Amino acid sequence: MPRDPYEVLGVARAASESEVKKAFRGLARELHPDVNKHDHQAEEKFKEAAEAYEILSDPERRATYDRYGHEGLRSGGFAPNFDAFASVADIFDAFFGGGAFGGGGFGGRFGARSGPAPGGDVAVRADVDLVAAARGASVEVSYDAIERCDRCQGNGAEPGTPIETCERCGGAGHLQAVTRTPFGQVVRTVECDVCHGDGRIARQPCTQCHGRGRRVVKRELKVDVPAGIADGQRIRISGRGHVGEPGAPPGDLYVLVHVREDERFVRDGDDLVTVLDVPAPAAALGITLTVPGLDGEQEVEVPAGTQPGEVIVLRGEGMPALRRGRTGDLRVVVNVVVPRRLSAEQRELVERLQGTMTPENLRGEESVFQRLRRALRTSA
């Protein structure tokens, strides 16, 4: 049974026509093959979204679905049919026009675009540890990028051999195609399947790039990771992506930074949080202990009478701000450890201590319920 079209597009049942259209356009661009090469199910997902849009964009179909569901559409002769399309790219072009993502291989200079297409962007991941993220670091990244062939200078022909006008498109680089769709007859401009949008054909293809005019190379680059960067943030390096068509700029390189977890800390914004185990007697009497810090061990004064879960703040010992701003703090959460096993002598001492306890000894400045209410108000 097909999914609910409202669920597919992520809109409410009372969504307006413009909201439905906006949702579909956003989803269609998200599922386009040029940005989902890793997802083998992208084409099916796109067709599902197109079917949902076909239902919800037509008032009659939508009313029938709202009343009778998918069974009502089938019995009413509204079954969708996408067989007229050769691929999901054809469906996308029917809605948005050709070249929406600068596709078309290495050619395409004379397609539906008004000018040469810029190069595509490249994404690569860089792993750093928390200390490197705090102090800043340089990391080496490697990635594959498309460059202009240096042998043929991008024209696809073996040096010294002629380049001829494409007979298929007459040098235009594109052809007109008429497609029958669920939304009527659509006339589209498609890339020439012989010259691949260039309008010209090399009589003898370049032996290095096989006539493509481009080649894939392995690049290595040193990237400066700024101090204070967080996991999942990106660094953009202009002009280090795929080469563009002649007269167009290259794409950019995006470095996705992954900050490895540090077993000593949990990061909360620019603050670091750690846990300090304190024996119960020491928490009652007060003690000086050490906790790990980014710059080595840090001393922590645990006041007498410290309760479980209390937080001691070491100012300025956290992560630096990525942009201008104050450095975060190191928050030390006190974990008062109660011994699980006692020797006979220890048990005797604890029993004697318990016998001397009065309500005044146990009464804190704030009850557990008061602390709970304060914490809930703070988080709200």
Side-chain angles (χ1 to χ4, degrees), residues 265 272-274 291-293 298 312-314 317-318 328-332:
F265 309 108
L272 295 176
V273 183
T274 191
V291 294
Q298 300 286 328
I312 301 171
V313 179
L314 302 182
E317 296 296 335
D329 303 324
L330 175 59
R331 306 202 306 260
V332 182

Side-chain angles (χ1 to χ4, degrees), residues 24-220:
F24 171 69
R25 291 178 72 90
L27 192 60
R29 294 183 186 278
E30 178 185 332
L31 297 175
H32 190 272
D34 283 358
V35 293
N36 279 282
K37 296 178 180 178
H38 63 285
D39 188 355
H40 300 298
Q41 298 181 341
E43 181 168 346
E44 290 304 317
K45 292 176 182 177
F46 184 95
K47 289 181 179 179
E48 182 184 46
E51 179 182 345
Y53 177 73
E54 180 192 3
I55 296 171
L56 300 185
S57 62
D58 183 283
E60 185 180 353
R61 286 182 172 86
R62 184 172 179 176
T64 301
Y65 175 80
D66 288 342
R67 261 188 105 173
Y68 305 109
H70 286 287
E71 288 297 329
L73 291 174
R74 278 193 287 269
S75 62
F78 293 137
N81 178 18
F82 295 105
D83 292 340
F85 294 102
S87 67
V88 68
D90 291 338
I91 303 175
F92 190 91
D93 289 345
F95 282 102
F96 300 97
F101 281 82
F106 301 127
R109 270 170 279 182
F110 303 100
R113 294 181 298 266
S114 59
D121 296 333
V122 179
V124 66
R125 169 171 158 163
D127 294 337
V128 297
D129 58 34
L130 185 66
V131 175
R135 299 293 172 247
S138 292
V139 295
E140 293 278 351
V141 297
S142 62
Y143 60 98
D144 291 332
I146 298 172
E147 288 187 349
R148 186 180 66 175
C149 176
D150 53 8
R151 179 173 178 80
C152 66
Q153 299 302 309
N155 63 23
E158 185 68 13
T161 63
I163 301 176
E164 302 172 343
T165 300
C166 175
E167 296 181 359
R168 168 87 163 140
C169 64
H174 62 271
L175 303 167
Q176 296 293 321
V178 179
T179 307
R180 296 184 62 84
T181 78
F183 307 95
Q185 185 170 288
V186 176
V187 179
R188 297 181 297 119
T189 299
V190 297
E191 183 183 86
C192 176
D193 58 344
V194 175
C195 68
H196 303 292
D198 199 333
R200 301 173 301 166
I201 298 176
R203 179 178 294 177
Q204 184 178 343
C206 172
T207 55
Q208 182 167 303
C209 67
H210 306 290
R212 295 185 180 92
R214 306 286 189 272
R215 62 192 186 99
V216 178
V217 298
K218 176 72 73 175
R219 285 182 181 171
E220 293 186 353

Side-chain angles (χ1 to χ4, degrees), residues 312-328:
I312 301 171
V313 179
L314 302 182
R315 301 292 180 188
E317 296 296 335
M319 298 290 291
L322 184 59
R323 297 177 179 83
R324 291 184 178 180
R326 74 175 189 85
T327 301

